[in-house]
Amino acid sequence: MLKINEEQWQVAKEKLRRKYNHLSDEDLAFQAGEEDKLITRLSLRLRRKPSYILFTIGKEIQDISSNRL
């Protein structure tokens, strides 16, 4: 389970938007406590397993100051 705060999500969202420029605002919509819905939505949109989405977001927020995707 992923726990993410709004500040972390803003940075991760921009990194995801650069990596996957076809994602819409609706795809990247996030509300605290609804991380599972976000993971499911992104996995369907990106056609990736939820474990990949968790890994990708986790990697992005692990080093939040990094500009790397």
Side-chain angles (χ1 to χ4, degrees):
M1 174 99 157
L2 176 71
K3 288 293 180 189
I4 188 169
N5 65 39
E6 188 64 34
E7 181 183 343
Q8 292 171 321
W9 178 242
Q10 290 305 316
V11 174
K13 179 171 74 170
E14 289 308 313
K15 290 180 179 183
L16 283 169
R17 194 179 301 264
R18 281 185 281 150
K19 187 172 183 176
Y20 303 104
N21 59 4
H22 64 281
L23 291 175
S24 68
D25 289 336
E26 292 81 26
D27 295 330
L28 296 167
F30 168 74
Q31 289 187 348
E34 295 189 357
E35 289 87 352
D36 290 339
K37 288 182 182 180
L38 173 68
I39 301 303
T40 301
R41 186 171 53 248
L42 289 175
S43 71
L44 291 172
R45 185 74 167 106
L46 297 175
R47 296 183 183 149
R48 299 285 191 145
K49 292 182 179 183
S51 59
Y52 174 83
I53 303 299
L54 284 169
F55 171 78
T56 302
I57 293 174
K59 186 172 72 169
E60 291 170 356
I61 64 173
Q62 185 176 22
D63 187 9
I64 205 150
S65 63
S66 171
N67 207 15
R68 254 185 116 167
L69 299 175

